Amino acid sequence: MKIALLGYGTVGRGVDEIISARVPSLEVARILELPDRLTDPRMTASFDDILADEQVELVVECMGGIEPAHTYLMAALESGRHVVTSNKAVVAAHFGELARAAAAHGVGLYLEAAVGGGIPWIAGVEKVRRVDEVTSFSGIMNGTTNYIVDAMRRDGADFAEVLAEAQRLGYAERDPSADVDGLDVLNKTIISASVAFGVACEKNLPTSGIRNLRASDLALFAAHGRTVKLLGRGVREAQRYAAAVEPVAVAAGSLEASVPSNFNLVTLDATTVGELKFYGQGAGSLPTGNAIVQDVLDCATGARRPTYDFSRPLAYDPALLRGDYVYRTEALLGDAEPFGEGAVVVRGLTAEAARALLAEALATDPTTFMAALPPTGEGRTAEPTQEG
Ligand SMILES: NC(=O)c1ccc[n+]([C@@H]2O[C@H](COP(=O)([O-])OP(=O)(O)OC[C@H]3O[C@@H](n4cnc5c(N)ncnc54)[C@H](OP(=O)(O)O)[C@@H]3O)[C@@H](O)[C@H]2O)c1
């Protein structure tokens, strides 16, 4: 199968390298590159050249960003090309529209690489859903923030110091906001909830990150037998679902707590299979390139042709995600119990109410840190409290 690559950066080069070294049945025939970097005979700066090439059956998009990626993906689908993308931003923003275009033109829309890099999470969820209903998912979906929290816990170092080291090692962007404020995990949570629950997921989910996490916060949680991880999570009950992105104080003995460095771990619960965990490299040129090549092979061999039907009448109901929350803040919060030095716990909040209370506390004390405090079961990950 001849394919075209849109974007020749970290992920695009990984795809090209894997195909040329290991997968002779595929050929990267065309590459969309910026006009001042046309260094390879396969390269063009014109997307129209790629659309006009009838030998190209599939388009891999790894440029990133919303536009022009969205326009190019729609044009590729409407021209009858299969699409594979690693671009979580464009999928989270336009999933329904892309899925409808793929269905209308009888082509595949593949997005394994958009969530969890090399981990076969999306295909795993799709496989589970052939038999089961997914009732919840929860995961460490961002390697940068896991690296930061893991290093802070291990070395007792503070956030700014570890962030600078992560930037030096290339694990964190120069502008780390998308990672540390939870926006990257938000996109992955929107996509995961859409695939897991079969619904065009609400975009405005409660979202908070780890920007204000201090080494002393980790020490306080450690004294309570916990550590902090930034999780994207979702729950479904009957015809309702909820999802959120927030730091969660997981049990120190849980698998989540032991996830090292920049690795990811995503968990689902489903009707008959029960709990499944997916662990691996959530980013990087070759792991992410691998997920893309697996999608292309699924398409080329006909092994898998994902279709997404979001017509199900599931309602977004924030009341499904409810629990206790710890705030380390100098702001005065009503109905709070002491949790430790400088910190309080507020019980029975929805994730949405907890996020609103965080905003209130941040207005008084901009260094406030908040983490969910779920009940911890023996040997199991802390789960969100589900309310019927
Ligand atoms: N890196 C990872 O490990 C990873 C993992 C999972 C998913 N992803 C996702 O995969 C996508 C690509 O990530 P990446 O890390 O490979 O980014 P990257 O290294 O910045 O590569 C993207 C490439 O596309 C180029 N580009 C941008 N707009 C273009 C256009 N209109 N025409 C031609 N080329 C264009 C960029 O050029 P300029 O840099 O000059 O703009 C850059 O060379 C993103 O959506 C990202 O979220 C990345």
Side-chain angles (χ1 to χ4, degrees):
M1 179 188 261
K2 286 188 198 293
I3 71 168
L5 281 182
L6 312 185
Y8 202 61
T10 306
V11 175
R13 284 165 201 267
V15 172
D16 197 27
E17 186 181 332
I18 293 172
I19 288 177
S20 64
R22 314 185 72 88
V23 193
S25 61
L26 301 177
E27 183 192 338
V28 178
R30 294 275 186 157
I31 298 170
L32 184 72
E33 184 47 293
L34 296 174
D36 56 332
R37 294 197 302 239
L38 303 179
T39 54
D40 181 304
R42 298 170 297 172
M43 288 176 175
T44 171
S46 159
F47 179 65
D48 289 340
D49 279 356
I50 289 173
L51 270 191
D53 185 339
E54 286 177 5
Q55 293 197 315
V56 170
E57 292 178 62
L58 182 150
V59 168
V60 172
E61 187 268 312
C62 39
M63 302 186 309
I66 306 280
E67 288 296 352
H70 164 247
T71 302
Y72 291 173
L73 289 181
M74 287 300 293
L77 293 167
E78 283 163 359
S79 74
R81 267 51 171 249
H82 307 285
V83 156
V84 177
T85 180
S86 60
N87 183 344
K88 60 217 122 186
V90 78
V91 176
H94 294 288
F95 203 168
E97 185 190 10
L98 293 167
R100 281 191 301 277
H105 293 88
V107 292
L109 172 64
Y110 297 81
L111 38 104
E112 186 63 74
V115 187
I119 304 170
W121 160 246
I122 296 291
V125 172
E126 285 167 4
K127 190 167 180 183
V128 164
R129 284 199 61 203
R130 294 192 301 193
V131 176
D132 277 358
E133 275 175 1
V134 176
T135 50
S136 71
F137 69 87
S138 161
I140 297 168
M141 302 177 178
N142 180 276
T144 305
T145 46
N146 197 69
Y147 173 88
I148 292 173
V149 174
D150 185 48
M152 285 175 71
R153 179 162 81 133
R154 217 184 34 244
D155 307 334
D158 242 317
F159 181 85
E161 197 183 318
V162 176
L163 173 62
E165 175 68 358
Q167 284 168 322
R168 200 184 60 75
L169 290 171
Y171 288 160
E173 305 279 337
R174 196 173 288 271
D175 174 5
S177 323
D179 291 322
V180 302
D181 295 330
L183 305 175
D184 174 76
V185 180
L186 172 63
N187 284 336
K188 292 165 175 173
T189 302
I190 290 170
I191 296 169
S192 297
S194 302
V195 175
F197 305 146
V199 66
C201 179
E202 163 72 36
K203 306 279 190 280
N204 190 23
L205 302 176
T207 301
S208 54
I210 60 154
R211 187 182 283 276
N212 284 350
L213 180 66
R214 293 176 179 162
S216 55
D217 297 327
L218 288 172
L220 177 63
F221 283 111
H224 288 263
R226 297 178 184 255
T227 193
V228 171
K229 295 286 177 175
L230 179 60
L231 299 186
R233 43 190 192 152
V235 292
R236 182 200 165 169
E237 250 182 65
Q239 298 308 307
R240 297 175 301 148
Y241 77 99
V245 177
E246 56 198 9
V248 177
V250 299
S254 64
L255 288 175
E256 281 66 20
S258 351
V259 171
S261 186
N262 62 339
F263 279 81
N264 285 194
L265 173 64
V266 202
T267 302
L268 64 77
D269 251 297
T271 331
T272 64
V273 76
E275 184 179 86
L276 286 178
K277 287 188 180 287
F278 299 74
Y279 174 80
Q281 270 294 346
S285 180
L286 293 178
T288 310
N290 179 292
I292 287 180
V293 175
Q294 292 286 4
D295 272 352
V296 177
L297 283 170
D298 279 351
C299 181
T301 60
R304 189 173 139 255
R305 178 70 55 83
T307 50
Y308 300 101
D309 173 8
F310 296 143
S311 58
R312 221 201 273 220
L314 280 194
Y316 177 67
D317 180 1
L320 291 182
L321 264 179
R322 186 187 289 275
D324 301 338
Y325 283 81
V326 171
Y327 295 80
R328 190 261 303 134
T329 184
E330 287 177 11
L332 281 179
L333 306 179
D335 289 335
E337 300 164 21
F339 184 74
E341 204 182 321
V344 293
V345 59
V346 182
R347 302 210 180 270
L349 295 176
T350 63
E352 208 161 87
R355 183 63 187 83
L357 189 59
L358 173 64
E360 229 178 280
L362 282 167
T364 308
D365 173 5
T367 74
T368 300
F369 176 73
M370 177 199 81
L373 189 73
T376 52
E378 216 171 296
R380 278 176 57 89
T381 315
E383 292 285 349
T385 309
Q386 293 179 31
E387 191 188 76

